[in-house]
């Protein structure tokens, strides 16, 4: 309840701060009281009571700084061990220990009664909070599927943030209509909660926002994807993707290559709801999926019509790619390096133990406002190149701003890995923003958007005419690429008009490109500031998500 109210302030800073403050007060307060007891017994005569409080608080703060990163790194969240149980258990443990350590022996009757009363409060308060929390969502999952009805108040013109917050918290009475007197100030929201689970990457939820006609998959406060339903599905049970970037990734098939083979292996790193993976399956590719969260794969199959892929690897992509690369390095070279398989494509072989080379790779690991930095280092790209075919292509999705340090670092790192001096054809970048009819294909540096980097290997393929190695080139999309989808037609047919130039990403011009090698921007395992550079965009992404769906929908999980 506190989190829902705090979230309605539309602040990615104050909302979590207020919520965590309410959670942390019992834990920190009780733990500080517990620490104060031995401090008073040791320094009863030398240190004033106020100093004991201050010293205990400082020790507690230092302990949290040391212990917290270890807890979040090694505690296996998911299943029965959820964030709800974690914080509630801490409160109960701190309260119980503090109560048991409250001094009673040797005290006067008045002091003993006061100590016993304090002990009772120390135990009862967190116990009552625990019981209440366990009975409420999201700590208690209702029988699914279930439907929630609510209302929300969209931002109104000429309304201050303070007044808007007052409206949303119910402290002020909003007007009946917006400023143009055509739309209601209070709108209905109907959410069908279909599935949820606490998994290793957060709380994974499948739900439908009925008024907007979408079925979506979310991980905490980030949308992993979705599909249109109802009237917007145009007669289908599930319609197109709600995001065009997932269909634009399918342009990896449109890159010109010399060694394209029917039914070749394709690798999808980061599944989402499976839009791109499903398209590759329909095109006849043997699709391998690497997804770190088992719940994401389960829900993509159960709620978003993802067909059974050729192979699934539920693990961290960095480890899996390195193991595949190591396996390939230990095997003798063969004429066709993308491995021999059974004719039916799903035989008795074990994909986990066979070395595989991939002609196409889709790499989309964006979630929660950022991408995992260890999957963008030069070492990772070198390993990935080692399991790709000689002219294999990778499509890398990144969401953020053009010209930012993060976008620039990704460019220079990919250019280093797939540059011509390292056996590649370089990279080209395309954004996913579809303009309205009559608009020009222009983007602004302050726009938050998806950018897809297409990079290609080139091991020995030389142009017969020029004697020079080729660049990344695309064929035009055709009807077979569209799979009878309007969105695919819109995204793929116009993609070549939405290219983002190297100058806009790096800030360099063609004249001074040769004077700057970009080495200071290359991401390596030892020098990787990508997470730091994404901090601002992650906060902005939180606000973007609040515009995609209203607070009344985000509160249902």
């Amino acid at each position: 309840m506190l989190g829902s109210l705090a979230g309605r302030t539309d602040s990615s800073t104050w909302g979590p701060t207020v919520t965590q403050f309410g959670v942390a007060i019992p834990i920190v307060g009780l733990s500080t009281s517990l620490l104060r007891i031995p401090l008073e017994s040791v320094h009863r005569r030398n240190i004033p009571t106020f100093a004991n409080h201050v010293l205990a608080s400082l020790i507690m703060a230092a302990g949290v700084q040391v212990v917290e990163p270890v807890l979040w790194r090694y505690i296996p969240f998911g299943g029965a061990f959820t964030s709800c149980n974690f914080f509630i258990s801490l409160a109960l443990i701190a309260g119980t220990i503090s109560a048991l350590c409250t001094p009673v022996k040797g005290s006067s009757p008045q002091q003993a009664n006061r100590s016993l009363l304090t002990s009772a409060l120390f135990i009862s308060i967190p116990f009552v909070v625990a019981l209440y929390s366990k009975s409420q969502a999201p700590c208690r999952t209702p029988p699914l599927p279930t439907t929630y009805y609510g209302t929300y108040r969209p931002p109104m013109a000429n309304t201050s943030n303070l007044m808007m917050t007052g409206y949303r918290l119910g402290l002020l009475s909003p007007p009946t209509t917006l400023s143009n007197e055509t739309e209601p100030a209070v709108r209905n929201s109907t959410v069908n909660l279909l599935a949820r689970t606490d998994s290793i990457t957060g709380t994974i939820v499948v739900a439908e926002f009925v008024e907007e006609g979408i079925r979506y998959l979310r991980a905490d406060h980030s949308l992993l994807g979705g599909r249109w339903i109802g009237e917007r599905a145009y007669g289908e049970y599930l319609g197109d993707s709600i995001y065009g970037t997932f269909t634009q990734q399918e342009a990896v098939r449109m890159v010109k290559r010399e060694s394209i083979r029917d039914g070749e292996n394709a690798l999808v790193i980061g599944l989402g709801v499976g839009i791109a993976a499903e398209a590759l399956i329909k095109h006849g590719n043997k699709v391998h999926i690497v997804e770190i969260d088992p719940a994401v794969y389960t829900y993509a199959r159960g709620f978003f019509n993802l067909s059974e892929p050729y192979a699934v690897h539920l693990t961290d992509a960095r480890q899996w790619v390195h193991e595949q690369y190591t396996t390939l390095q230990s095997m003798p070279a063969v004429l066709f390096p993308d491995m021999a398989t059974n004719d039916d494509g799903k035989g008795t072989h074990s994909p986990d133990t066979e070395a595989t080379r991939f002609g196409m790779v889709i790499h989309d690991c964006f979630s929660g406002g950022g991408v995992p930095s260890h999957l963008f280092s030069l070492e990772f790209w070198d390993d990935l190149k080692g399991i790709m075919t000689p002219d294999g292509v990778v499509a890398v999705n990144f969401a953020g701003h053009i010209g930012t340090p993060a976008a620039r670092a990704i460019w220079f790192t990919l250019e280093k890995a797939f540059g011509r001096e390292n056996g590649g054809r370089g990279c080209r970048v395309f954004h996913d923003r579809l303009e309205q009819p009559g608009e020009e294909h222009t983007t602004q540096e302050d726009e938050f958007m998806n950018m897809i980097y297409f990079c290609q290997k080139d091991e020995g393929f030389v142009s017969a005419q020029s004697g020079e190695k080729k660049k990344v080139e695309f064929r035009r999309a055709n009807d077979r690429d569209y799979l009878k989808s309007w969105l695919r037609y819109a995204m793929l047919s116009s993609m070549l008009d939405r290219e983002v130039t190297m100058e806009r990403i790096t800030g360099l011009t063609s004249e001074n490109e040769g004077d700057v090698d970009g080495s200071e921007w290359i991401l390596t395992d030892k020098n990787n500031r990508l997470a730091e550079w994404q901090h601002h965009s992650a906060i902005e992404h939180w606000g973007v998500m609040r515009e995609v769906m209203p607070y009344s929908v985000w509160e249902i999980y």
Side-chain angles (χ1 to χ4, degrees):
M1 181 176 66
L2 178 60
S4 297
L5 293 175
R8 296 185 183 187
T9 62
D10 280 346
S11 170
S12 60
T13 302
W14 286 109
T17 299
V18 171
T19 305
Q20 293 300 320
F21 188 72
V23 173
I25 282 178
I27 299 174
V28 175
L30 296 175
S31 301
T32 301
S33 299
L34 181 62
L35 286 171
R36 185 171 53 85
I37 295 172
L39 289 174
E40 287 182 343
S41 63
V42 175
H43 303 287
R44 187 180 300 275
R45 298 181 180 178
N46 299 327
I47 301 179
T49 302
F50 174 77
N52 278 323
H53 282 284
V54 174
L55 183 59
S57 300
L58 292 175
I59 294 175
M60 184 63 192
V64 168
Q65 291 295 322
V66 174
V67 174
E68 183 181 29
V70 177
L71 289 177
W72 288 116
R73 181 179 303 174
Y74 293 107
I75 289 181
F77 283 97
F81 200 92
T82 66
S83 57
C84 293
N85 296 335
F86 178 66
F87 286 110
I88 291 170
S89 299
L90 283 180
L92 286 172
I93 291 172
T96 303
I97 295 177
S98 182
L100 293 176
C101 295
T102 301
V104 176
K105 185 178 180 179
S107 303
S108 64
Q110 184 177 4
Q111 292 175 329
N113 290 333
R114 186 165 57 248
S115 297
L116 290 174
L117 178 61
T118 303
S119 301
L121 289 174
F122 280 170
I123 293 179
S124 61
I125 291 177
F127 184 70
V128 171
V129 172
L131 289 178
Y132 176 78
S133 300
K134 291 294 288 183
S135 66
Q136 303 296 313
C139 294
R140 180 186 64 84
T141 303
L144 299 178
T146 188
T147 301
Y148 292 87
Y149 302 95
T151 59
Y152 68 96
R153 298 175 175 87
M156 290 172 280
N158 302 319
T159 302
S160 66
N161 291 333
L162 182 60
M163 292 185 64
M164 194 67 239
T165 301
Y167 295 150
R168 292 179 172 180
L169 296 179
L171 303 177
L172 299 175
S173 298
T176 56
T177 61
L178 298 179
S179 57
N180 58 13
E181 297 184 356
T182 59
E183 298 182 54
V186 179
R187 300 179 185 176
N188 295 325
S189 62
T190 305
V191 178
N192 295 327
L193 185 61
L194 304 180
R196 74 171 302 279
T197 185
D198 290 293
S199 194
I200 58 177
T201 61
T203 300
I204 310 299
V205 175
V206 180
E208 295 176 345
F209 183 12
V210 177
E211 281 73 15
E212 288 296 322
I214 62 173
R215 175 179 291 184
Y216 59 87
L217 177 68
R218 59 178 282 197
D220 290 338
H221 202 274
S222 180
L223 284 179
L224 301 182
R227 297 180 68 174
W228 298 108
I229 59 174
E231 294 181 357
R232 297 193 178 189
Y234 297 102
E236 299 290 335
Y237 173 65
L238 288 174
D240 277 328
S241 168
I242 62 174
Y243 286 127
T245 187
F246 299 125
T247 59
Q248 184 165 306
Q249 294 166 9
E250 299 167 24
V252 70
R253 298 179 54 256
M254 296 161 49
V255 176
K256 294 181 179 179
R257 297 165 51 210
E258 284 78 6
S259 61
I260 299 178
R261 300 173 61 197
D262 291 337
E264 68 178 341
N265 296 294
L267 177 63
V268 176
I269 300 176
L271 178 61
V273 300
I275 299 297
E278 177 66 16
L280 293 176
I281 292 173
K282 288 182 176 179
H283 285 297
N285 296 108
K286 298 182 178 71
V287 176
H288 294 240
I289 293 173
V290 180
E291 168 59 49
I292 193 172
D293 198 320
V296 171
Y297 173 72
T298 299
Y299 288 165
R301 291 272 289 138
F303 294 94
F304 295 94
N305 284 2
L306 173 65
S307 302
E308 183 181 359
Y310 181 74
V312 180
H313 314 276
L314 301 177
T315 184
D316 180 70
R318 179 65 185 268
Q319 177 184 350
W320 185 85
V321 169
H322 181 71
E323 290 175 352
Q324 291 294 108
Y325 172 72
T326 303
T327 301
L328 276 175
Q329 289 296 102
S330 64
M331 295 178 62
V334 294
L335 181 60
F336 297 104
D338 62 336
M339 98 172 186
T341 59
N342 293 346
D343 293 335
D344 60 2
K346 293 182 180 179
T348 58
H349 72 285
S350 173
D352 290 311
T353 59
E354 291 185 332
T356 306
R357 290 191 186 273
F358 300 93
M360 296 176 289
V361 180
I362 293 178
H363 179 291
D364 186 359
C365 303
F366 182 86
S367 179
V371 295
S373 57
H374 70 293
L375 296 182
F376 281 78
S377 69
L378 185 62
E379 290 83 354
F380 172 77
W381 299 124
D382 286 341
D383 283 351
L384 184 64
K385 285 171 54 182
I387 64 173
M388 294 169 62
T389 57
D391 61 346
V393 186
V394 58
V396 182
N397 185 55
F398 172 72
H401 293 273
I402 298 174
T404 57
R408 188 178 299 123
I410 292 173
W411 167 270
F412 279 117
T413 305
L414 287 171
E415 273 290 315
K416 177 67 175 179
F418 291 90
R420 292 164 181 80
E421 69 278 6
N422 290 321
R425 301 184 185 182
C427 302
R428 293 174 67 181
V429 184
F430 301 85
H431 68 80
D432 69 337
R433 183 178 180 270
L434 282 177
E435 284 73 18
Q436 297 298 322
E439 287 185 350
E440 296 182 358
H441 289 280
T442 59
T443 57
Q444 303 298 324
E445 271 66 14
D446 59 351
E447 287 186 81
F448 192 96
M449 67 178 65
N450 288 281
M451 293 170 278
I452 304 177
Y453 297 66
F454 291 91
C455 305
Q456 188 174 13
K457 286 179 62 176
D458 186 11
E459 293 183 352
F461 292 101
V462 181
S463 171
Q465 290 80 12
S466 63
E468 297 179 357
K469 290 189 176 182
K470 297 181 178 180
K471 299 179 181 180
V472 179
E473 297 180 352
F474 295 82
R475 61 170 174 81
R476 284 289 178 178
N478 55 48
D479 290 341
R480 186 170 180 267
D481 300 317
Y482 304 145
L483 296 175
K484 300 180 180 180
S485 163
W486 176 90
L487 180 63
R488 286 189 173 88
Y489 168 78
M491 297 300 301
L492 298 179
S493 64
S494 64
M495 189 193 76
L496 297 180
D497 299 324
R498 289 181 273 111
E499 185 164 6
V500 183
T501 63
M502 178 272 296
E503 290 82 1
R504 296 190 64 188
I505 295 176
T506 65
L508 301 175
T509 62
S510 56
E511 288 77 12
N512 61 12
E513 179 183 3
D515 300 330
V516 180
D517 60 4
S519 58
E520 69 274 16
W521 292 100
I522 295 176
L523 304 170
T524 64
D525 289 341
K526 293 183 179 180
N527 181 29
N528 195 331
R529 297 176 60 191
L530 188 57
E532 173 190 343
W533 288 329
Q534 293 181 101
H535 178 73
H536 177 75
S537 63
I539 295 177
E540 182 182 4
H541 178 262
W542 189 93
V544 171
M545 289 292 98
R546 301 299 273 196
E547 296 177 0
V548 173
M549 297 194 304
Y551 58 84
S552 58
V553 177
W554 286 111
E555 291 168 4
I556 304 301
Y557 61 96

